[in-house]
Amino acid sequence: MKSLCFSPRTASLSISRQSNSPSLSSTARRRFSQSEIEQAIDAAAAIIMKWDAETSAYAGVTSLFHENKREAMQFTKSVNELQDIMHLLVSDQDSGSEKFSQAQRLMQIAMKRLQKEFYQILSTNRADLDPESVSTRSSRTSTSMSDYDDDGLPDDEIRTAGDSITELEDVSSTAMSDLKLIADCMIASGYAKECIRVYKIIRKSIIDEGIYKLGIEKLSSSQVNKMDWDVLDLKIKNWLDAEKISLRTLFKGERILCDHVFSSSDSIKESCFAEISKEGATLLFGFAELVAKAKKSPMEKMFRVLDMYTAISEDWQEIETIFAFESVSAVRLQAINSLVRLSESVLSLLTDFESTIHKDSSKAMTPGSGLHRLTMYSMDYLTLLADYCNILTDIISDWPPPAKSSLPESFFNSPVSDDSPRPAISVRIAWLILVLLCKLDCKSKHYKDVSLSYLFLANNLQHVISRVRASNLMYLLGEEWITKHEAKVRQFAANYERLAWGQVFASLPENPMASMTGGKAKECFMKFTSSFEDAYSKQCSCVVPDLKLRDEIKASIGTKVVAVYREFYDMHKSKVGEESSEKLFVRFSPEDVGNYLSELFFATVSSGSSSTSSSTSSHHHRYMRSLLRA
């Protein structure tokens, strides 16, 4: 290190120094007599030798700065004056005199004492000079006592709490002031290296201990790859907390303390902070890069990666502020590299997610034409992704749009594939939903009954829309997207209704009030009974999980069946004949038909199997089966 000032051990000249003693200013030195120099050296010797641990047992067991603060101030003032005298003697080419040798010996004793005091203050005030205390000291000072009033504490407890905080602040402030005073004195006297060495040893141990307590450990890429996901997930959760704490307290507090203690020298405070914090900070941000590069398959990794990216990007301004020195540029570079790797991991995981949908080859039909596991899983995933829309916007802003060639041509005109300009995140999310809907369309073809395939599509698309409405996906896709897809749900539901219940509709005359013979009435009743029993037996196990869609489908079927059948029933029941004939031809009253229809679509799907959720529904199903066996 380049010498910053005159060192009495080498009899060299300082580069620059402003004396704190007006009696020894540059204009007064010419008039400073030999006797006055001798008096000044004797005065300095008196206080310096008093605190020489090698000649005084009292000085060996007592702290100067703790025991007598006024005398400590006088001690440093005498050292500064002694340094001025040595400069004066050198300028007068009297560096070989006895007076200079005496001053030099006194300076060495003084520096040894100050070095000891510096070490003691740093050691005994570890708790008061911990980074958290230092970083929050100013905010504590500005905290109003009204903060305690909010807790409803008694006045005496409020005063006690305030006194305790004030006492802590006083201890911390005093220690910081004493350290700065000693550092300024030692640096000005040419003993910067001794001062810096003590500071680095103690403060680096505090930073290293803090990093260790926060759970940040040195890991290799192979170690991270070998970890079970559950273990790594816990480490990531811990890292997310550690990153906030370390920036807001550990490194911030150390930077504040370092800047304060070594405010007299920019180069010293930079080198000190760099050596103390560089290793721990690089280790902290390096873990994020290891996670980003880890070959882990769980799709849950996406959200941990996004959390880590969010943490670093949100704290970037603080990172740049704390680690602004060129000597800690490696910390900033590591943070940037981690952000780049994390963003690359996000893009890779999005690609994997799309590939997972494409590759889903299960051919098992969902019971009751209900929700497919792929639909539920995918929408859970996408709604969570939407919570990170701001971060994702940054990450995928320059990502090329998806290639339409990966989907069937029939889907090119889908409501999500228009060419209107939209944010990249909206386009990507819309595309992923389109990929899902395309896959569901393929799966619907596994139903032998086409009506069930349409109900399957209606149910799953309705679930997609519901999840979009209830999440941030709504803001990414917009109301127009929802409106267009709701129209497709109605279209699927209408197709289901036409194919599943069309024979029932057709069994009733277009004009139920028109006059007809008894034989024709009997034939019509029998045709309706047969078609209704057949349709109900096929549809009674179907499920429509969405309440609104369920009510709409049932209302539509009821309007076309119950209302028409009631008119026909009231008009022509009497033409069937005697009671025995009535029971034979008229199996259902309008109320029976309405009850059966009202109990449709209540089956619930859980873990891939359907179950009945209503005891009343079970009763009607058993009754219907008994009719079919009759």
Side-chain angles (χ1 to χ4, degrees), residues 35-260:
S35 62
E36 288 174 322
I37 290 177
E38 290 177 359
Q39 289 176 6
I41 292 176
D42 290 342
I47 191 169
I48 291 173
M49 294 309 295
K50 177 182 177 180
W51 290 98
D52 181 7
E54 294 184 2
T55 60
S56 169
Y58 175 79
V61 296
T62 308
S63 168
L64 167 61
F65 278 78
H66 179 72
E67 187 69 21
N68 192 327
K69 187 58 62 69
R70 178 175 294 181
E71 194 161 325
M73 299 293 289
Q74 182 60 45
F75 187 97
T76 56
K77 180 181 179 182
S78 296
V79 171
N80 289 331
E81 290 180 348
L82 189 62
Q83 175 73 356
D84 282 335
I85 290 172
M86 294 173 72
H87 273 278
L88 183 58
L89 292 173
V90 169
S91 66
D92 292 340
Q93 299 183 351
D94 197 13
S95 60
S97 67
E98 179 60 31
K99 292 190 294 295
F100 184 85
S101 297
Q102 181 186 4
Q104 190 175 41
R105 287 194 299 272
L106 288 173
M107 182 64 73
Q108 291 172 347
I109 294 171
M111 290 301 106
K112 189 174 181 180
R113 182 74 218 184
L114 289 178
Q115 184 176 353
K116 180 180 180 180
E117 292 290 326
F118 197 73
Y119 175 84
Q120 286 180 330
I121 294 171
L122 285 171
S123 300
T124 58
N125 291 279
R126 283 178 71 101
D128 301 306
L129 291 175
D130 69 287
E132 181 176 3
S133 299
V134 174
S135 63
T136 58
R137 182 166 59 90
S138 59
S139 61
R140 281 176 177 172
T141 303
S142 61
T143 299
S144 169
M145 291 309 296
S146 62
D147 294 341
Y148 296 95
D149 295 338
D150 293 338
D151 295 330
L153 294 174
D155 291 342
D156 57 341
E157 291 188 27
I158 294 173
R159 284 192 295 272
T160 301
D163 292 343
S164 176
I165 290 175
T166 303
E167 183 179 349
L168 288 172
E169 293 166 358
D170 288 344
V171 172
S172 176
S173 297
T174 299
M176 290 175 68
S177 298
D178 291 346
L179 289 171
K180 172 177 168 50
L181 183 65
I182 296 173
D184 288 346
C185 187
M186 292 185 72
I187 292 171
S189 300
Y191 282 78
K193 289 183 179 179
E194 287 76 6
C195 179
I196 294 168
R197 183 170 63 250
V198 171
Y199 187 89
K200 286 179 178 178
I201 291 173
I202 294 180
R203 297 309 300 179
K204 189 175 188 306
S205 69
I206 292 176
I207 293 295
D208 291 345
E209 181 182 337
I211 289 291
Y212 175 78
K213 287 182 177 180
L214 288 172
I216 304 301
E217 56 186 316
K218 190 171 184 177
L219 297 170
S220 66
S221 182
S222 60
Q223 286 176 307
V224 172
N225 277 320
K226 290 177 182 177
M227 284 182 189
D228 291 337
W229 169 249
D230 290 341
V231 175
L232 182 57
D233 189 42
L234 287 174
K235 287 188 177 295
I236 295 173
K237 289 179 181 178
N238 177 75
W239 182 91
L240 291 169
D241 292 332
E243 190 269 348
K244 298 295 181 187
I245 295 171
S246 62
L247 280 179
R248 284 157 178 70
T249 60
L250 198 63
F251 296 115
K252 180 181 179 182
E254 188 55 49
R255 175 65 192 274
I256 292 172
L257 181 62
C258 203
D259 285 355
H260 179 80

Side-chain angles (χ1 to χ4, degrees), residues 249-427:
T249 60
L250 198 63
F251 296 115
K252 180 181 179 182
E254 188 55 49
R255 175 65 192 274
I256 292 172
L257 181 62
C258 203
D259 285 355
H260 179 80
V261 173
F262 299 110
S263 59
S264 63
S265 173
D266 290 341
S267 60
I268 290 179
K269 69 183 180 186
E270 176 177 347
S271 66
C272 277
F273 180 73
E275 188 163 333
I276 290 167
S277 64
K278 184 177 178 179
E279 182 179 348
T282 303
L283 188 65
L284 174 73
F285 294 116
F287 177 73
E289 183 175 2
L290 291 177
V291 172
K293 293 162 63 177
K295 298 177 176 63
K296 296 294 179 182
S297 57
M299 297 303 288
E300 292 87 346
K301 179 187 174 185
M302 167 68 86
F303 305 104
R304 292 298 177 216
V305 169
L306 285 169
D307 287 337
M308 298 180 88
Y309 186 99
T310 301
I312 297 176
S313 61
E314 286 183 348
D315 292 332
W316 182 250
Q317 185 174 354
E318 195 152 11
I319 293 171
E320 282 195 309
T321 301
I322 295 173
F323 302 99
F325 296 134
E326 184 60 30
S327 55
V328 286
S329 60
V331 175
R332 301 195 304 273
L333 180 61
Q334 178 60 74
I336 291 173
N337 286 341
S338 293
L339 282 176
V340 171
R341 293 295 185 185
L342 289 168
S343 64
E344 290 173 349
S345 180
V346 169
L347 297 181
S348 176
L349 289 168
L350 281 175
T351 301
D352 290 345
F353 174 65
E354 180 178 341
S355 179
T356 298
I357 298 175
H358 278 301
K359 293 178 180 178
D360 190 297
S361 58
S362 61
K363 296 183 179 180
M365 295 178 291
T366 306
S369 295
L371 299 181
H372 198 280
R373 60 171 182 78
L374 182 63
T375 305
M376 294 184 286
Y377 164 77
S378 298
M379 292 312 299
D380 285 345
Y381 194 82
L382 290 174
T383 51
L384 287 173
L385 275 182
D387 292 336
Y388 297 87
C389 58
N390 292 333
I391 292 297
L392 284 170
T393 297
D394 293 337
I395 293 174
I396 71 173
S397 58
D398 296 326
W399 203 20
K404 294 181 178 181
S405 59
S406 61
L407 292 183
E409 187 175 351
S410 59
F411 279 78
F412 285 179
N413 295 323
S414 166
V416 300
S417 62
D418 57 60
D419 296 324
S420 58
R422 289 180 297 167
I425 177 62
S426 298
V427 173

Side-chain angles (χ1 to χ4, degrees), residues 506-545:
S507 68
L508 294 170
E510 292 184 9
N511 184 2
M513 303 298 291
S515 177
M516 62 178 62
T517 64
K520 184 66 175 176
K522 291 179 181 179
E523 180 184 348
C524 194
F525 273 115
M526 290 183 65
K527 187 176 180 181
F528 172 80
T529 299
S530 176
S531 61
F532 183 76
E533 288 176 345
D534 182 60
Y536 189 87
S537 66
K538 292 178 180 179
Q539 307 304 319
C540 63
S541 61
C542 287
V543 57
V544 180

Side-chain angles (χ1 to χ4, degrees), residues 363-576:
K363 296 183 179 180
M365 295 178 291
T366 306
S369 295
L371 299 181
H372 198 280
R373 60 171 182 78
L374 182 63
T375 305
M376 294 184 286
Y377 164 77
S378 298
M379 292 312 299
D380 285 345
Y381 194 82
L382 290 174
T383 51
L384 287 173
L385 275 182
D387 292 336
Y388 297 87
C389 58
N390 292 333
I391 292 297
L392 284 170
T393 297
D394 293 337
I395 293 174
I396 71 173
S397 58
D398 296 326
W399 203 20
K404 294 181 178 181
S405 59
S406 61
L407 292 183
E409 187 175 351
S410 59
F411 279 78
F412 285 179
N413 295 323
S414 166
V416 300
S417 62
D418 57 60
D419 296 324
S420 58
R422 289 180 297 167
I425 177 62
S426 298
V427 173
R428 184 63 56 170
I429 292 294
W431 171 261
L432 291 173
I433 292 180
L434 178 57
V435 171
L436 170 64
L437 297 180
C438 183
K439 175 60 68 172
L440 292 173
D441 183 72
C442 294
K443 292 184 179 298
S444 71
K445 295 177 172 56
H446 296 151
Y447 288 94
K448 295 180 179 179
D449 187 335
V450 180
S451 67
L452 297 182
S453 69
Y454 279 115
L455 184 61
F456 170 81
L457 291 173
N459 277 329
N460 283 270
L461 181 53
Q462 182 61 41
H463 179 75
V464 170
I465 295 171
S466 297
R467 295 304 302 273
V468 169
R469 276 200 178 279
S471 68
N472 284 332
L473 291 171
M474 169 72 178
Y475 306 106
L476 294 175
L477 299 177
E479 191 64 43
E480 183 181 359
W481 185 96
I482 292 177
T483 300
K484 290 179 178 180
H485 282 80
E486 284 179 336
K488 290 182 73 69
V489 171
R490 290 192 294 272
Q491 180 183 339
F492 290 145
N495 288 340
Y496 159 76
E497 182 183 309
R498 174 176 54 81
L499 294 171
W501 299 91
Q503 293 298 320
V504 179
F505 303 153
S507 68
L508 294 170
E510 292 184 9
N511 184 2
M513 303 298 291
S515 177
M516 62 178 62
T517 64
K520 184 66 175 176
K522 291 179 181 179
E523 180 184 348
C524 194
F525 273 115
M526 290 183 65
K527 187 176 180 181
F528 172 80
T529 299
S530 176
S531 61
F532 183 76
E533 288 176 345
D534 182 60
Y536 189 87
S537 66
K538 292 178 180 179
Q539 307 304 319
C540 63
S541 61
C542 287
V543 57
V544 180
D546 185 83
L547 175 62
K548 182 173 179 290
L549 179 61
R550 182 196 311 152
D551 289 345
E552 288 176 352
I553 293 176
K554 289 197 295 186
S556 179
I557 296 173
T559 300
K560 295 180 177 67
V561 175
V562 179
V564 177
Y565 181 66
R566 184 182 301 280
E567 291 181 347
F568 176 76
Y569 180 90
D570 292 341
M571 183 72 179
H572 301 289
K573 177 186 175 185
S574 60
K575 298 179 181 179
V576 173

